[in-house]
Amino acid sequence: MCGKRSKCYFSRLEVILIICLVLMIAVTVVLLVLHFLITGHSSKSSSSSTTVAPSSSSSKAPANYLLGVGRADCTGPVAEIPLMGYANPEQVGGGLLTRLYSRAFIVADLDNSRRVVFVSADIGMVSQRLRLEVLEKLKSKYGELYRQDNVILSGTHTHSGPGGYFQYTLFWITSKGLIRPSLNAIVNGIIKSIDIAHQNMKRGRLFINRGTVENSQMNRSPFSYLENPASERSRYSANTDKEMVMLKMIDENGQELGLISWFAVHPVSMNNTNHLVNSDNMGYASYLFEQEKNKGMLPGEGSFVAAFASSNLGDVSPNTKGPFCINTGESCNNPQSTCPVGGATMCMAMGPGNDMFDSTRIIGQNIYSKARLYEEASQEVTGPLSSAHQWVNMSDVSVELNATQTVKTCKPALGYSFAAGTIDGVGAFNFTQGLVEGDPFWDEIRNQLLGEPSNETKACHKPKPILFSTGEMTRPHPWHPDIVDVQIIAIGSLAILAVPGEFTTMSGRRLREAVKREFDSHGTSQMDVVIAGLCNVYTHYIATYEEYQAQRYEAASTIYGPHTLSAYIQLYRGLARAIAMNTVQDLPSGPEPPIFNIGNLTLVPSLIADRTPANKTFGDVLQEVRQQYRVTEVAEVTFVGANPRNSAEKATEHNFLTVERYTNTSESWQVVQNDASWDTRFYWTKGLLGQSNVTIEWHIPRDTEPGVYRIRYFGHYRQKLSLSPAVSIAFEGTSSAFEIIAL
């Protein structure tokens, strides 16, 4: 320590410590200054840069399109109308399991300069007559906004929907005529679904995702598939396409709007003994998805729309247990699909469930579960909208196979194996699959009744032995279409190929690859190409050239001959080229299809006056419910009924039943199920002299809340008074209240 007057000296150590302290303070000050300078610069920089949205598809981000979705009932009459799909004259409607819906999706540019429409309807297929009537109504409503080039109509291919909406004679015969109530219901349902989508357009975004669906399909013609080159087959892990493609639609605020899924499987879980109108496995997947997204709503209600659309399902069955002889139980997985006893009519494939209802539920649940990958969709679809369409005379297309070989398509004809049916729905008599030679007995019957095929048609279709030369049969109207739609709509990087029939697995693969290569070769790379099946006009099946040689059902039903697939590939490549090169306006529109004046003559029974048993009125209970049920049991009630066709012709939408729960707090009945619910079944039994019964089943779900319930029935009876026109009068019936208790 220094004294008062003495000099102060620092030791060498103290001097070093002081210097170090000063240096540390200086460094600290410099670092602090630099820190604040850098932070300030970084703040300014970030405030002036473009914000990058998180990868989540629900994040707020700029919209790319205007989007609209809509759903509308297209069920039609549920009684006495042939069901379309199996061509079984005994399979007519006798009630309702689930309602059928048309689901419409509109995508437009933000400036509204271009738009495209995709409709998936719960019907067997889109007929030419149906499409033409829809387009005519759209034109009368919207002018040139919705046209043949930018509207795709696709059928899910349920085999349990009403038929009667065709104009070509072959389908006219199997559907018992052109049935106006059936056709009108589908036309009006499609138009209404488009109207709803049109009226609810929002700014939004699109995302795509894919997933593999297991345990839900099998190739029902594996022996035909094996005819394809081994080198080609080796590129694929399975003989079916297991990939599902999902298109997710949200608005600019991330609100979910809808889903379109494309997956290849036949909706034939409900077999040809079924008489209840329903949407089968694909419709059940839609039902589950919409119920999940529209919580608290009854089926068919709510703004979210989920379409599970068809794809290249030609040889793809949901009956995963495979084919067995129903009389002996042994396998009939052979090239002819025949049994030692009973032949081909005994060989049927079975689904994974205990019965067809259970199989429908299992397959639909599998498809729905995989579609929930929708939630993870993050690949955004962006880019311009385009559409290309042509009408083509498919009976006369020249196909350039290579630089030196040109072949042609044929006039329509069906082969012998067409009559054999498939393991999903067998045919009749002694026809088997894989027939490459005709039979003199059947040839003579055909020649006498329908006429002999020309030598030209026989040669063109070889090795198919022709059973029906439909392209040469014109009475009372042509039996098959010559003029066919080919169409592609492109939504940015997504190309949807609207195909007019059922492409087999390998046919679909070749078509997708050819179209993708065409886009790539003209500078439009990275296109996602999907096939939408059963679109615009029905032309049966499209097998590969190699599969055609085996002449199983799908090949025998390839009506334009062995080069049908090559012709379609050539045509769709042309559409893709026009879109890629922006020359769509130069495409020739082609010959327009005809509309035939068929009239209202049908083989469907005429509606007659409904009657009741003595001392009964419509809606009276004939067999009452029990007083109490446990969950998982079936509540059942039978009423004095009337023909359900009265209700279908009275109104476009009619609910035949409700299940209602009594609410103590409001002292009122609340509807918890309707006739679109999977758990309800509506059976109509026709009696004599205008009498009929209606039985309603409610298969009580395991999660049903205990309480007091009742079942109500709504119908219309037809009354004819002397010289006055017949009128339909509404009525209803109500079961007694019953209690549901837990297990």
Side-chain angles (χ1 to χ4, degrees):
M1 186 162 216
C2 299
K4 201 179 217 180
R5 294 179 192 220
S6 61
K7 293 184 181 178
C8 192
Y9 295 97
F10 295 97
S11 69
R12 183 176 297 176
L13 177 60
E14 288 173 325
V15 170
I16 292 171
L17 289 173
I18 291 169
I19 292 170
C20 287
L21 178 62
V22 170
L23 288 173
M24 287 173 64
I25 292 170
V27 169
T28 301
V29 170
V30 170
L31 288 174
L32 287 171
V33 169
L34 288 173
H35 169 74
F36 287 115
L37 286 173
I38 291 169
T39 303
H41 176 73
S42 181
S43 282
K44 290 176 186 176
S45 221
S46 99
S47 66
S48 63
S49 66
T50 303
T51 302
V52 179
S55 61
S56 169
S57 61
S58 61
S59 303
K60 175 80 172 180
N64 294 310
Y65 302 107
L66 295 173
L67 306 175
V69 301
R71 176 185 54 250
D73 191 311
C74 64
T75 305
V78 302
E80 300 187 301
I81 307 299
L83 300 186
M84 186 64 208
Y86 292 111
N88 179 358
E90 302 300 316
Q91 191 185 18
V92 297
L96 182 66
L97 174 59
T98 58
R99 287 203 164 266
L100 310 180
Y101 292 100
S102 170
R103 295 173 172 91
F105 303 83
I106 302 176
V107 182
D109 287 330
L110 289 175
D111 62 3
N112 239 333
S113 59
R114 293 186 180 183
R115 62 178 56 203
V116 294
V117 183
F118 182 82
V119 174
S120 177
D122 291 329
I123 58 176
M125 60 284 288
V126 175
S127 76
Q128 192 171 80
R129 181 62 171 257
L130 169 61
R131 175 169 168 83
L132 292 175
E133 292 201 12
V134 166
L135 290 173
E136 184 61 32
K137 280 183 175 284
L138 287 174
K139 185 174 183 179
S140 66
K141 262 192 167 186
Y142 299 104
E144 295 300 316
L145 189 61
Y146 300 117
R147 312 169 303 275
Q148 71 267 14
D149 67 292
N150 68 352
V151 175
I152 290 178
L153 304 182
S154 174
T156 61
H157 204 36
T158 175
H159 284 42
S160 296
Y165 53 95
F166 295 82
Q167 67 174 0
Y168 289 96
T169 302
L170 181 75
F171 310 119
W172 187 92
I173 290 173
T174 57
S175 296
K176 298 184 179 179
L178 182 69
I179 303 168
R180 257 298 148 191
S182 182
L183 176 59
N184 289 346
I186 302 171
V187 170
N188 294 337
I190 291 173
I191 294 295
K192 185 173 181 180
S193 67
I194 294 174
D195 287 343
I196 294 170
H198 178 88
Q199 293 158 11
N200 291 280
M201 300 288 283
K202 298 179 179 180
R203 295 167 62 89
R205 305 166 69 194
L206 299 173
F207 297 85
I208 198 168
N209 202 5
R210 300 164 191 77
T212 301
V213 183
E214 299 289 355
N215 306 315
S216 299
Q217 48 170 209
M218 58 165 277
N219 194 307
R220 70 185 187 190
S221 283
F223 300 97
S224 295
Y225 182 86
L226 289 173
E227 294 292 319
N228 294 304
S231 58
E232 182 179 34
R233 289 185 279 111
S234 67
R235 295 165 47 207
Y236 304 98
S237 60
N239 60 5
T240 60
D241 281 338
K242 296 180 180 292
E243 185 178 73
M244 172 189 290
V245 178
M246 293 145 278
L247 184 66
K248 177 178 182 177
M249 310 177 82
I250 63 173
D251 70 14
E252 61 183 345
N253 297 313
Q255 180 69 37
E256 296 175 319
L257 300 177
L259 154 78
I260 310 174
S261 160
W262 291 275
F263 178 62
V265 69
H266 257 81
V268 290
S269 293
M270 301 294 291
N271 62 41
N272 62 7
T273 66
N274 167 60
H275 292 277
L276 297 182
V277 169
N278 70 86
S279 52
D280 213 282
N281 47 43
M282 298 293 264
Y284 184 57
S286 288
Y287 170 86
L288 291 175
F289 215 103
E290 290 180 348
Q291 285 293 97
E292 177 192 338
K293 294 298 181 182
N294 298 314
K295 291 193 184 301
M297 309 293 285
L298 291 169
E301 299 177 357
S303 61
F304 187 92
V305 179
F308 285 75
S310 60
S311 191
N312 55 315
L313 47 66
D315 51 0
V316 188
S317 169
N319 295 314
T320 53
K321 286 183 181 177
F324 289 87
C325 300
I326 57 176
N327 52 352
T328 65
E330 61 187 303
S331 172
C332 50
N333 186 27
N334 55 65
Q336 286 74 41
S337 298
T338 59
C339 295
V341 179
T345 58
M346 291 291 112
C347 183
M348 291 188 64
M350 303 296 176
N354 298 321
D355 57 27
M356 59 183 169
F357 297 94
D358 196 31
S359 292
T360 301
R361 180 190 59 80
I362 291 169
I363 300 299
Q365 177 78 44
N366 289 349
I367 295 169
Y368 154 77
S369 297
K370 183 55 63 173
R372 298 188 80 249
L373 283 173
Y374 152 103
E375 308 288 355
E376 303 170 17
S378 58
Q379 178 188 334
E380 187 158 14
V381 177
T382 61
L385 301 178
S386 303
S387 59
H389 170 277
Q390 285 182 301
W391 284 302
V392 179
N393 183 351
M394 274 302 295
S395 65
D396 188 25
V397 177
S398 294
V399 185
E400 294 182 12
L401 295 182
N402 51 52
T404 60
Q405 187 179 13
T406 299
V407 293
K408 291 189 70 173
T409 55
C410 314
K411 291 181 178 179
L414 291 164
Y416 263 67
S417 295
F418 163 76
T422 73
I423 57 173
D424 291 328
V426 297
F429 304 111
N430 62 338
F431 294 99
T432 62
Q433 297 200 59
L435 289 173
V436 292
E437 291 184 2
D439 182 283
F441 174 77
W442 292 113
D443 282 351
E444 183 61 27
I445 291 177
R446 175 205 60 208
N447 294 347
Q448 294 299 320
L449 295 177
L450 303 171
E452 183 179 359
S454 67
N455 290 333
E456 178 187 3
T457 298
K458 288 179 183 178
C460 189
H461 278 272
K462 280 186 176 180
K464 177 195 292 180
I466 295 174
L467 183 62
F468 300 124
S469 184
T470 52
E472 298 174 316
M473 296 157 61
T474 58
R475 295 181 180 177
H477 300 286
W479 281 50
H480 264 147
D482 287 325
I483 309 304
V484 173
D485 299 68
V486 292
Q487 182 182 18
I488 298 178
I489 63 174
I491 305 170
S493 56
L494 174 66
I496 303 171
L497 316 185
V499 300
E502 306 177 55
F503 277 61
T504 62
T505 298
M506 195 62 87
S507 290
R509 289 169 175 170
R510 291 183 189 177
L511 178 63
R512 282 195 303 263
E513 289 181 359
V515 168
K516 184 170 177 55
R517 282 196 303 268
E518 195 68 35
F519 276 119
D520 288 345
S521 67
H522 291 90
T524 310
S525 59
Q526 306 301 314
M527 291 291 285
D528 289 296
V529 180
V530 299
I531 289 175
L534 291 305
C535 292
N536 302 335
V537 56
Y538 186 59
T539 63
H540 296 265
Y541 286 74
I542 298 90
T544 68
Y545 177 83
E546 295 83 358
E547 291 165 351
Y548 190 90
Q549 308 309 306
Q551 278 301 299
R552 280 178 61 87
Y553 175 82
E554 294 81 13
S557 305
T558 299
I559 62 175
Y560 300 112
H563 301 292
T564 300
L565 174 61
S566 296
Y568 278 127
I569 288 174
Q570 178 175 287
L571 291 165
Y572 281 91
R573 284 182 60 193
L575 297 181
R577 188 182 313 120
I579 290 174
M581 299 181 69
N582 198 26
T583 58
V584 171
Q585 68 278 2
D586 298 330
L587 286 172
S589 60
E592 292 193 25
I595 292 185
F596 306 129
N597 183 19
I598 293 177
N600 296 319
L601 178 64
T602 78
L603 299 178
V604 175
S606 298
L607 283 169
I608 61 174
D610 293 283
R611 292 181 172 84
T612 64
N615 303 317
K616 295 289 184 180
T617 60
F618 294 103
D620 280 356
V621 175
L622 294 174
Q623 180 181 325
E624 192 56 272
V625 292
R626 301 201 317 254
Q627 291 183 343
Q628 189 180 79
Y629 296 90
R630 292 186 182 276
V631 294
T632 73
E633 291 187 322
V634 180
E636 181 178 320
V637 57
T638 300
F639 299 93
V640 175
N643 194 323
R645 286 170 57 198
N646 300 328
S647 300
E649 298 189 10
K650 181 76 175 177
T652 55
E653 295 182 37
H654 174 77
N655 199 43
F656 288 109
L657 68 92
T658 56
V659 176
E660 301 174 359
R661 183 177 187 273
Y662 187 73
T663 307
N664 289 317
T665 53
S666 62
E667 296 184 341
S668 62
W669 293 92
Q670 178 185 4
V671 176
V672 295
Q673 303 268 358
N674 60 15
D675 65 6
S677 301
W678 171 256
D679 304 305
T680 60
R681 298 176 192 175
F682 174 86
Y683 294 91
W684 178 68
T685 304
K686 185 176 183 178
L688 297 174
L689 303 175
Q691 294 187 20
S692 63
N693 295 342
V694 161
T695 297
I696 295 173
E697 293 179 358
W698 180 32
H699 294 245
I700 305 167
R702 186 177 294 273
D703 61 354
T704 300
E705 187 177 349
V708 177
Y709 292 79
R710 70 181 184 184
I711 296 173
R712 300 180 72 193
Y713 161 47
F714 305 91
H716 293 84
Y717 67 88
R718 187 176 179 87
Q719 187 178 66
K720 183 78 169 68
L721 299 173
S722 61
L723 300 177
S724 303
V727 293
S728 293
I729 301 171
F731 69 91
E732 61 183 70
T734 306
S735 76
S736 297
F738 56 93
E739 183 184 14
I740 292 181
I741 59 176
L743 283 173

